[in-house]
Amino acid sequence: MKYCILLFLMILNVHSLLAQIEIHGKILDKKGRPIVSANITIVDSYDGGITDHNGLFRFSTTENGAHILVIVASRFDSLFVPINITNQAIQIDTSLKVTKLEEDGVVVSSRGFILGGGKRNSVMNAQDIYTTGGANGDISSALRTLPGTQQLGEREGLAVRGGDVYETKQFIDGTLVSHPYFSGATNIPTRTRYPPNLFKDIAFSTGGYSALYGQALSSALILETIDIPEKSESNVSVTPLFWGGGLQKVAKDKKSSFGFDYSYTNVGLYFKVIKQTPDYFKMPQFHSSDWNYRIKTKGGGLIKYYGTFDYNQMGLRRQSVDSAIWKNAFDLKGSNWYHNVSWRQPFNHQWKMTLSAGFSLNKNNIWQQLQDSSNKEVAIPNIYLDTLQFNLKNKDLFAQTKLVLEKKWRHNNALRFGAEYWYNDYSLNYNIKQYQLKDNYIAAFAETDYYILPKLALEAGLRFENSSLMRTHELAPRAALAYKFSSSNQINFAYGMFYQKPENTYLIYNSKLKMTQANHYIFTYLYTGKGTMLRLETYYKQYENLVKIYPNYTNNGNGFAKGIDVYWRDNNHTIKTLDYWITYSYVDTKRNYLNFPFSMQPNFVANHTANLVTKKFIAPINTGVSATYSFASGRPYYNLHLNAVGDANYSLLDQGKTKQYQTLNMSVYHLMKIGKGFGVLYASMNNVLNRNNVFGYNYSVNGLNRQPILPTAKRFYFIALFISWGVDRSQDTINNNL
Amino acid sequence: MKKLIFTICLCAIAYFGHSQSSKYLPAMEANLKIMDTAKAASTYLDLSGKFERIANAEKTQWLPFYYAALSLDLYGFQAPESKKDEIGDKALALIDQAQKLNDNSELYAPKYMAYIIQMLVDPMNRYQSYGMLANDALSQGMKLDSLNPRLFYLKGSGLLQTPTFAGGGKDAAKPYLEKSIELFDKEKPAKMYPNWGKTQALETLEKCK
């Protein structure tokens, strides 16, 4: 019976009718707005409550005496309030301070468009590149649907904000990629060597980029390769243009992975069906291979290696502009090696190190000649035509290493600093002439992220650059200030000085040239809504020390560019299941460089460009469609003519503007299961409206004749089947028990 | 009488054996009762707070952490997309604390759910990353207890919502759900231990027909 009493006492103890004291109050932010879902708890007790939509809470407690009350709400600093519970109700009205955190603090977005692979807050990702109509999986083509870029149909690369294509540089895992595009013939664009799915982060800066990068006057495309993939996978691609396959193997413990891919492209079959303007006597062919190895190190670090080798060749004849009975024949063999190793390692006290190294070797073997109607070489009748007949061999060896150290503090304040070294050995054989260049380039840089206020951030950096060849050293300051004046509105101001070595093709004639220079001033307004984004930018860019090639190779060139860029993205927000973006760019630019007789708008710049990209995924039939419409106002063209050899200047004999450029590109993809694999059937058509787009004019050497620059075929069609077989290890354990 | 005494002793051991405070059991039971009948999102959010307070006060019990995470997950499925990431992170942090006390198979169910909630923010792009993490959680849970019916139920329910081209669909989901029901029938959970899932599994299996 005693035990029964004990039990009874126990129950009584639990449900004892102790005095219930009510604690209530209101939790606000510093601006007096209610904080919803804040948790209020008496430390080490079960008692507490949660705030409602008005920031009000109310709960009862059986505790008494001195206690501590803690108020926790996400995005706010926790608050501890000492209380003394007696027999009276307690009222607690207080306010919480916003935590200095990345998510709700300001982010300096002078870096431009962040394209991430499924990461939070990303603007565009690898999948976007694959599904953008007209891009056909080419990174640069997809980026041309962003503002600030030019629609170029006759050359590869990104011409950004009045800048020439060589003013945009690409970086993979911190190191410069010296030849990101396949070699090709004049006026026929080629593709990027690197596939989008290689990258987890793609950041495209259209100006004002970080001091960690250099040697690009206009723009930096910063690519970060993926870490160890989630699962092993093998894949094949079958198309009329190319076939390929690859394997990616992840170790059982997921601590390392390796993979390789190979593909062979031969456009012969395609060109038989779709007639091309040039006469290809050697069908364009490409062998591409890449391989990778990634391994986790102790303490959360990662070492990644990525290597590629490719070889391509082509030969074609086009109608000569100099004579109706002549043809220009062009033959190319090119090869490219690229290796990249990077080691990322975090250390104690929020230190992080990134050590990277890159090596590339690019070789091209080109000849060009004038041929007659029976494809026989013609004897050059006059000295001016000499430039149309040549043998060219070049070899470009580029090696580099870079070290970046980063230290972070509370509230996301950070300091990054480091150095890099580039070695370049460039040689050129042009007919019987030989040229060689060797350069040792050293840069040191430091940059800090400093949060002056939670909503006001400064990113300031300095970069020192030195080239042994030019015997010059430059100091480039960069700064960006960002202010987030409400949760969805932000303004940025960015300033920076940027230096770039003249292209090797000019340096071989005068190695005493100085670095070319650009100063950027950028003002940005950014709105981020729910699934929507508006980005307005206006900029002024000043060019100094641009290369002039006439009458001598000097740095007497200069120029400017100013304009407005608009980007609006609406991802499934306004119209369900429709993702679209609209861009508009206006640029006003003039420069005096190369052989320009005076300051002119370069022929790669259209004043107005616009894009409308739409994407829709129709879930019931597992099919996605995308349409991209691009517009560009007419681009200028010039006939710059040298009257006589040794003449001091080029004169402008003829000029004009091409008609507007318009194109509508469509693509469709269907997802399906093929056996045990996952398949994507992809088809696309570029220039659906079959417009005649003209990219400019080529003039004859005597200046009397001209020829429009046209695409090799009006339309481009593409159809492909991609299949992948994933080996998902996580499945095994479950299936074993079924 | 002896039997009674024995029972009382047993109760007493159960009561004091875990060095838990005397209010633990009734508080947990009261909350679990609310959980059984809860429907509104706000109730789940409220419950999560209650369980978390118990967990933080007790410091040695994994079950309140488990239920705090589970009810937060249940709230997360109904929460607006802008909040899903935050909720998932919070649930994962709660599971982390529970794992430090007792790493067991049950914890991988709310872990799986937390990743699924985060995947739902942008399924097209996050399937690869968050979907993979979710599946990993299931297989880790399986390794600890290959007969946990809830993990089979979650696997089946996940497959039902996966498009057929990606290996999902009714036919793929069915065997997992059938297996889960078979396991649910054999299950004899200890007091306050997770016992949910059978009703949901039966409902989901119905959709496969």
Side-chain angles (χ1 to χ4, degrees):
Chain A
M1 204 55 210
K2 269 187 216 159
Y3 296 104
C4 288
I5 293 163
L6 179 69
L7 182 68
F8 181 68
L9 282 173
M10 247 154 49
I11 293 164
L12 191 72
N13 178 33
V14 172
H15 294 285
S16 61
L17 298 166
L18 284 173
Q20 298 251 335
I21 303 299
E22 188 187 89
I23 299 179
H24 63 95
K26 193 170 192 177
I27 312 294
L28 305 170
D29 66 9
K30 290 286 174 201
K31 283 183 181 163
R33 292 172 300 199
I35 298 174
V36 185
S37 304
N39 254 311
I40 297 98
T41 307
I42 297 175
V43 176
D44 287 339
S45 89
Y46 289 7
D47 301 328
I50 195 163
T51 55
D52 63 11
H53 285 278
N54 299 314
L56 295 168
F57 71 94
R58 183 181 296 271
F59 66 90
S60 304
T61 181
T62 51
E63 305 285 340
N64 59 55
H67 282 275
I68 291 168
L69 195 75
V70 61
I71 305 163
V72 183
S74 68
R75 298 183 299 120
F76 292 92
D77 280 344
S78 297
L79 187 71
F80 295 88
V81 185
I83 51 167
N84 193 13
I85 306 167
T86 55
N87 53 2
Q88 273 174 355
I90 299 174
Q91 183 169 358
I92 305 223
D93 294 335
T94 188
S95 61
L96 301 186
K97 220 168 90 183
V98 176
T99 315
K100 284 193 182 183
L101 265 184
E102 190 181 12
E103 278 98 331
D104 74 334
V106 58
V107 177
V108 184
S109 57
S110 64
R111 298 265 172 81
F113 292 90
I114 307 298
L115 302 87
K119 266 182 88 177
R120 293 175 189 183
N121 310 323
S122 68
V123 173
M124 202 178 169
N125 52 48
Q127 197 184 343
D128 269 329
I129 292 169
Y130 284 115
T131 58
T132 296
N136 291 321
D138 183 54
I139 295 176
S140 315
S141 305
L143 293 177
R144 284 180 188 177
T145 65
L146 293 179
T149 58
Q150 289 290 334
Q151 301 298 334
L152 304 175
E154 80 288 12
R155 57 204 286 200
E156 61 278 355
L158 295 160
V160 176
R161 290 183 174 170
D164 207 336
V165 288
Y166 65 78
E167 296 173 25
T168 298
K169 284 284 189 317
Q170 298 190 15
F171 300 87
I172 294 181
D173 291 336
T175 56
L176 178 79
V177 183
S178 55
H179 298 270
Y181 306 99
F182 284 104
S183 315
T186 334
N187 296 334
I188 302 175
T190 61
R191 284 173 66 89
T192 315
R193 289 183 207 266
Y194 309 100
N197 61 0
L198 185 65
F199 307 107
K200 67 172 167 140
D201 282 324
I202 302 171
F204 179 48
S205 166
T206 47
Y209 61 87
S210 146
L212 268 54
Y213 301 90
Q215 292 296 307
L217 286 187
S218 286
S219 160
L221 178 59
I222 297 159
L223 306 155
E224 183 92 20
T225 59
I226 54 167
D227 296 342
I228 292 170
E230 296 292 341
K231 60 176 182 179
S232 296
E233 198 175 77
S234 54
N235 68 77
V236 296
S237 322
V238 190
T239 88
L241 287 165
F242 68 88
W243 59 265
L247 186 77
Q248 190 64 237
K249 196 138 176 62
V250 184
K252 260 190 173 168
D253 58 6
K254 290 199 169 183
K255 287 206 169 119
S256 66
S257 75
F258 72 89
F260 61 87
D261 295 282
Y262 168 76
S263 79
Y264 172 66
T265 308
N266 188 329
V267 298
L269 184 68
Y270 178 80
F271 284 3
K272 257 185 201 150
V273 182
I274 313 292
K275 282 281 160 258
Q276 306 286 311
T277 318
D279 161 29
Y280 286 92
F281 58 84
K282 217 192 256 175
M283 282 301 160
Q285 286 178 58
F286 302 80
H287 292 273
S288 302
S289 56
D290 64 70
W291 49 93
N292 62 69
Y293 182 70
R294 304 173 181 115
I295 184 162
K296 280 186 186 164
T297 60
K298 275 185 182 164
L302 184 69
I303 296 174
K304 297 193 272 192
Y305 163 72
Y306 173 69
T308 69
F309 174 73
D310 52 65
Y311 172 81
N312 69 310
Q313 58 173 36
M314 69 191 296
L316 67 140
R317 280 183 205 99
R318 285 181 283 196
Q319 174 58 48
S320 165
V321 65
D322 293 286
S323 162
I325 56 163
W326 287 344
K327 296 172 193 171
N328 279 106
F330 174 90
D331 184 281
L332 167 114
K333 288 189 195 78
S335 69
N336 188 66
W337 283 98
Y338 175 75
H339 301 273
N340 180 310
V341 193
S342 67
W343 176 21
R344 192 174 74 209
Q345 185 73 42
F347 296 109
N348 290 342
H349 308 294
Q350 300 222 61
W351 277 93
K352 199 174 112 185
M353 176 201 78
T354 312
L355 180 63
S356 46
F359 172 85
S360 77
L361 180 62
N362 185 273
K363 285 183 187 172
N364 290 299
N365 198 339
I366 297 167
W367 59 256
Q368 185 171 298
Q369 56 182 227
L370 280 177
Q371 293 184 342
D372 61 20
S373 52
S374 55
N375 303 335
K376 295 264 159 54
E377 187 178 352
V378 294
I380 294 293
N382 89 44
I383 165 170
Y384 302 123
L385 294 170
D386 195 34
T387 52
L388 301 174
Q389 202 104 314
F390 62 80
N391 277 299
L392 183 155
K393 272 188 195 177
N394 64 18
K395 193 176 102 178
D396 193 1
L397 186 153
F398 190 79
Q400 59 188 318
T401 174
K402 181 174 185 173
L403 175 71
V404 183
L405 293 168
E406 182 185 67
K407 160 82 181 161
K408 277 199 170 176
W409 287 274
R410 224 173 107 75
H411 304 323
N412 271 337
N413 290 321
L415 174 70
R416 286 176 286 274
F417 60 95
E420 60 187 309
Y421 166 69
W422 299 0
Y423 173 73
N424 187 207
D425 180 347
Y426 176 80
S427 63
L428 174 73
N429 289 19
Y430 185 81
N431 293 335
I432 50 161
K433 289 178 198 150
Q434 288 200 13
Y435 303 90
Q436 192 172 23
L437 281 177
K438 277 186 187 169
D439 184 34
N440 295 283
Y441 163 92
I442 295 169
F445 44 81
E447 179 182 76
T448 174
D449 293 349
Y450 177 60
Y451 284 78
I452 303 161
L453 296 166
K455 296 185 178 231
L456 181 67
L458 173 74
E459 183 192 280
L462 195 62
R463 186 178 173 91
F464 168 81
E465 297 178 299
N466 177 288
S467 153
S468 70
L469 183 71
M470 284 165 278
R471 295 190 192 116
T472 56
H473 46 83
E474 307 290 353
L475 209 54
R478 319 254 167 103
L481 196 63
Y483 177 61
K484 192 166 185 173
F485 57 91
S486 82
S487 63
S488 52
N489 294 285
Q490 181 176 330
I491 47 171
N492 287 346
F493 176 73
Y495 159 78
M497 264 163 81
F498 300 85
Y499 290 97
Q500 184 171 354
K501 293 197 292 181
E503 295 291 275
N504 283 337
T505 43
Y506 308 130
L507 278 174
I508 52 173
Y509 297 109
N510 179 5
S511 64
K512 299 285 171 285
L513 286 171
K514 287 190 282 187
M515 286 204 200
T516 57
Q517 188 191 340
N519 301 333
H520 297 189
Y521 305 84
I522 305 162
F523 181 78
T524 312
Y525 165 75
L526 194 66
Y527 165 83
T528 30
K530 198 183 150 198
T532 57
M533 181 179 185
L534 174 69
R535 193 184 164 97
L536 299 175
E537 276 193 291
T538 177
Y539 60 90
Y540 179 76
K541 192 153 87 176
Q542 183 192 355
Y543 285 100
E544 279 164 32
N545 297 329
L546 292 178
V547 174
K548 289 281 293 173
I549 60 170
Y550 255 82
N552 298 308
Y553 284 81
T554 62
N555 280 101
N556 294 341
N558 56 47
F560 74 89
K562 57 189 180 192
I564 298 165
D565 289 340
V566 182
Y567 173 81
W568 166 254
R569 173 121 191 216
D570 182 342
N571 191 350
N572 296 315
H573 181 64
T574 319
I575 308 164
K576 203 79 186 145
T577 76
L578 181 76
D579 177 12
Y580 71 91
W581 67 86
I582 299 169
T583 72
Y584 167 75
S585 304
Y586 167 75
V587 57
D588 175 17
T589 182
K590 280 199 171 72
R591 54 167 68 191
N592 182 2
Y593 82 141
L594 303 181
N595 59 350
F596 286 16
F598 43 82
S599 214
M600 307 193 296
Q601 179 170 333
N603 64 4
F604 50 81
V605 177
N607 296 111
H608 304 270
T609 49
N611 290 286
L612 169 65
V613 179
T614 60
K615 294 173 184 197
K616 191 172 167 69
F617 187 75
I618 307 155
I621 53 166
N622 300 322
T623 301
V625 284
S626 172
T628 302
Y629 171 77
S630 301
F631 166 88
S633 58
R635 269 155 49 183
Y637 59 86
Y638 305 104
N639 179 13
L640 292 174
H641 192 256
L642 194 61
N643 296 314
V645 175
D647 188 355
N649 249 320
Y650 274 86
S651 55
L652 183 61
L653 285 194
D654 186 21
Q655 64 172 320
K657 267 198 173 179
T658 61
K659 61 176 186 168
Q660 289 171 358
Y661 166 86
Q662 282 182 53
T663 182
L664 175 67
N665 302 331
M666 307 261 310
S667 71
V668 52
Y669 62 95
H670 177 65
L671 309 175
M672 58 193 166
K673 213 167 146 61
I674 300 175
K676 287 201 161 181
F678 167 65
V680 182
L681 184 64
Y682 178 92
S684 76
M685 187 204 268
N686 284 17
N687 196 12
V688 175
L689 303 176
N690 215 20
R691 259 186 68 94
N692 292 304
N693 285 316
V694 177
F695 304 125
Y697 290 88
N698 282 328
Y699 284 86
S700 61
V701 172
N702 64 15
L704 301 175
N705 203 7
R706 75 171 198 192
Q707 202 179 48
I709 302 170
L710 302 168
T712 56
K714 259 209 237 171
R715 273 189 183 146
F716 177 72
Y717 303 87
F718 185 58
I719 183 157
L721 178 64
F722 305 102
I723 312 171
S724 64
W725 292 272
V727 185
D728 186 357
R729 290 205 175 276
S730 66
Q731 216 76 3
D732 299 348
T733 28
I734 297 171
N735 291 344
N736 287 344
N737 294 309
L738 204 61
Chain B
M1 188 62 202
K2 263 188 180 169
K3 218 174 177 178
L4 179 68
I5 293 168
F6 180 72
T7 317
I8 292 164
C9 286
L10 214 66
C11 284
I13 289 164
Y15 238 98
F16 302 111
H18 291 281
S19 74
Q20 66 210 356
S21 72
S22 54
K23 1 176 233 188
Y24 176 69
L25 198 67
M28 283 294 281
E29 279 180 337
N31 288 341
L32 287 173
K33 210 168 185 176
I34 301 170
M35 198 166 173
D36 276 344
T37 53
K39 280 193 179 69
S42 58
T43 318
Y44 285 120
L45 184 62
D46 203 36
L47 271 173
S48 179
K50 284 181 169 150
F51 280 121
E52 193 187 347
R53 279 192 283 275
I54 298 175
N56 286 331
E58 290 300 327
K59 295 188 179 75
T60 53
Q61 301 292 331
W62 70 274
L63 277 167
F65 279 118
Y66 168 87
Y67 284 112
L70 184 68
S71 31
L72 195 60
D73 281 342
L74 294 168
Y75 167 68
F77 280 111
Q78 301 179 48
E81 259 161 42
S82 55
K83 285 221 150 192
K84 282 186 168 24
D85 268 329
E86 194 186 297
I87 291 165
D89 283 346
K90 175 83 195 282
L92 290 169
L94 289 167
I95 295 158
D96 238 31
Q97 284 181 279
Q99 277 178 314
K100 278 177 196 152
L101 298 168
N102 181 351
D103 190 11
N104 67 75
S105 168
E106 294 297 348
L107 291 168
Y108 293 85
K111 193 169 187 171
Y112 167 86
M113 292 157 87
Y115 285 127
I116 292 292
I117 287 163
Q118 294 184 326
M119 186 191 81
L120 290 175
V121 174
D122 185 4
M124 286 273 278
N125 294 318
R126 289 189 175 191
Y127 175 72
Q128 280 290 333
S129 42
Y130 290 81
M132 228 34 99
L133 287 169
N135 276 331
D136 271 4
L138 279 192
S139 63
Q140 280 172 39
M142 284 286 180
K143 269 182 205 157
L144 295 170
D145 176 8
S146 60
L147 298 173
N148 185 334
R150 275 162 293 283
L151 301 184
F152 278 91
Y153 153 64
L154 289 173
K155 179 74 193 169
S157 135
L159 280 173
L160 184 64
Q161 282 163 61
T162 307
T164 35
F165 66 80
K170 290 178 180 179
D171 293 339
K174 219 171 153 183
Y176 291 99
L177 294 166
E178 280 166 350
K179 176 82 181 180
S180 81
I181 288 157
E182 183 195 318
L183 293 170
F184 274 124
D185 289 336
K186 286 184 199 155
E187 191 183 39
K188 290 186 185 74
K191 199 172 186 185
M192 294 195 304
Y193 270 57
N195 62 2
W196 59 274
K198 193 179 170 185
T199 333
Q200 292 95 318
L202 284 167
E203 279 169 15
T204 316
L205 186 62
E206 202 55 41
K207 287 182 201 155
C208 290
K209 281 170 185 163

